[in-house]
Amino acid sequence: MSLAFSSLPARSIKPSLRICQTSVRYAGRDAPAGDPRKEILRRVLYPSNLRNKSTPTGTWRSDVGRALQHAIPSVQAHETIERAWLLHQRHVRRKREAELQRKFEKMKEAMDELYKLDNHLYIEANRPEDPRARSAKELELVKGLRGSERKAMEARIRGLFPRELRVPTDTPSRLGWNYDWQPIRPTSPS
Amino acid sequence: MSALPRCSSCRPRLPRPKHGLIRPRCLATEVSSGSVTIPAESTPTVGKVKIYDTIRTSVILNRSPFLTRPLSRFEQAFYAYQQRIQRALHNPFPYEFYFKQGSLLESKFNAEERRRERMAFGAPFGISESQEGSENKSQNAKESVAEALDREEEEKIPRRGEADRTNDVRSLERKGERNLYLLLLKKLDDRQVWRLPEGGLQKGEVLHESAERNLLTECGIRMDTWIVSRNPIGLYRSSTSNQVSPRHIFFYKAHILAGQVRPDGTNVLDYAWLTKEEMEDRLDKEYWLGLKDILSDN
């Protein structure tokens, strides 16, 4: 977030944050006293533009100047903090990129060596996995779709991430790690 | 290689850099089971027989972090600073829209909001309790009831669990914010070494299939694993005195999603789930140097 404070000293912030005031002020009435048609007309033609509460959207809080003075130590301090943060982000980014570069180099080395060693294995390793291409396996599936076990067994699709990969959370799950996982064996068709 | 005549279609052992293309491997006769005993130089299926001796696949089984990365002190301070600025500048919250007037939730929200204001800005902000008169007392009563209810609901599970306190390296719940990798304690010619799960290549198998088979053989089938891709992520060339030819070990990355390692105890004696630094302590120097750039730092 960038604040345009460079031209103003820290004290005289008031003028730019004053709540805007129009010339004619219309109050809003909740309970229609007289004829409802009159009230509706009045509400439509002269809507309330009193901004004395801090609830309407699109405005600052009523003590925004004071709050901001408590939040920001000074203009120079704010700019220093911004620069420190950007520097920190640069370090993090460089470190991440360096790690990715190292990993990529290792992958490239492995693939180059595989190319030299065996052509068939190399071609198979480079074959792209299309998650939609299920033609050969699907035919088997159509036969064995009765059992839910078989369906569950085929739920892991090559080329897609499994849905059991958890997103990291702030606290661990209540159930903990599932140590008692059993593989689902396909039952013979009887 | 001795000075035997080689057919022109046979691929040389090492590619000559002068040629632009590496010639394709000669599609020679089927390798029968007895051909392993034939000396290597005599048949054109040299390379194919040797492939199954030289190439081995290994799996880097990773338990990815299930906890978010802890923030450094600078990051925490910066985020708190930005929150204070945001609180000073944002639109006033339309609380009348979200909370019904006079409800318990509204009083709870007001109490929490006053506390947050006080924490963000300091003394003049956030109304102190000794301000109003009798009407505040009923409101205070409401707030205390709301807070009492709230305290019953919130029971956060601590980030550092049992496994962290006892430093149980076999547990998969240790060090939730780090990547853990599986190491196996194997018997290797009356030595005990820590290695990744590893195995050889079989006929008709592709590398990633062999990696999966070797993993399940060495670690048991009571694990839900997922090998990420068909590509190997790294290579280790081991040239120890025991083997005739240097071995190529191709690493594959896999994730463990559920279950645990249950070794059969014949070749694999023990296992451990370790972070990158802990692995360095247990592995041989050469093996570690070949492996360290493949692993994630986190």
Side-chain angles (χ1 to χ4, degrees), chain A residues 54 61 78 125 170 177-179, chain B residues 68 81 92 117 231 259 262 296:
Chain A
S54 50
R61 52 192 278 168
H78 181 76
D170 286 332
W177 186 268
N178 177 19
Y179 285 103
Chain B
T68 47
Y81 176 66
E117 283 276 299
N231 301 335
R262 275 160 235 253
S296 304

Side-chain angles (χ1 to χ4, degrees), chain A residues 1 3 17 53-64 66-68 70-74 77-79 81-82 84-85 88-89 92 95 99 102-103 106-111 113-121 123-129 156-162 164-183 185, chain B residues 11 13 15 22 24-25 51 55 63-68 72 74-75 78-79 81-82 84-96 117 121 124-125 155-159 170-173 201 205-208 221-235 237 248 250 252 255-260 262 289-291 293-298:
Chain A
M1 160 164 53
L3 302 169
L17 297 174
K53 289 190 287 190
S54 50
T55 43
T57 54
T59 183
W60 284 302
R61 52 192 278 168
S62 53
D63 53 352
V64 57
R66 211 159 54 97
L68 202 55
H70 280 262
I72 296 182
S74 71
H78 181 76
E79 288 183 354
I81 292 169
E82 279 291 313
W85 178 250
H88 170 71
Q89 290 294 83
V92 165
K95 195 162 158 243
E99 187 192 314
R102 283 196 299 270
K103 284 183 177 174
K106 293 296 274 187
M107 277 185 78
K108 188 165 186 303
E109 186 194 335
M111 291 307 280
E113 194 62 35
L114 187 61
Y115 184 59
K116 291 177 203 166
L117 284 176
D118 188 38
N119 204 34
H120 168 69
L121 289 176
I123 288 170
E124 284 301 315
N126 272 332
R127 189 182 298 281
E129 282 171 327
R156 194 59 63 76
I157 300 171
R158 281 305 318 166
L160 294 180
F161 281 79
E164 291 91 0
L165 268 177
R166 272 179 86 91
V167 176
T169 49
D170 286 332
T171 49
S173 84
R174 280 180 200 281
L175 306 170
W177 186 268
N178 177 19
Y179 285 103
D180 304 317
W181 186 84
Q182 295 272 5
R185 295 176 187 284
Chain B
R11 193 177 70 78
R13 189 80 181 101
I22 295 170
R25 169 168 296 288
I51 283 301
I55 294 186
R63 191 231 60 200
S64 35
F66 59 86
L67 292 178
T68 47
S72 66
F74 174 57
E75 284 169 337
F78 180 76
Y79 288 147
Y81 176 66
Q82 290 289 318
R84 288 200 293 277
I85 296 175
Q86 171 79 349
R87 178 171 276 281
L89 288 178
H90 73 62
N91 279 343
F93 177 62
Y95 55 88
E96 293 156 349
E117 283 276 299
F121 298 127
F125 296 84
E155 270 179 29
K156 277 196 205 161
I157 303 167
R159 283 171 72 108
R170 291 202 198 98
S171 167
L172 277 157
E173 293 163 296
L201 188 65
E205 230 183 14
V206 197
L207 281 180
H208 71 280
I221 51 171
R222 296 286 300 273
M223 294 191 306
D224 187 8
T225 52
W226 173 62
I227 293 198
V228 177
S229 91
R230 300 166 79 101
N231 301 335
I233 59 168
L235 171 67
R237 285 187 206 81
H248 297 83
F250 285 95
Y252 274 83
H255 288 269
I256 182 165
L257 307 162
Q260 177 64 289
R262 275 160 235 253
L289 288 175
L291 189 60
D293 289 329
I294 307 173
L295 305 176
S296 304
D297 284 339
N298 176 27

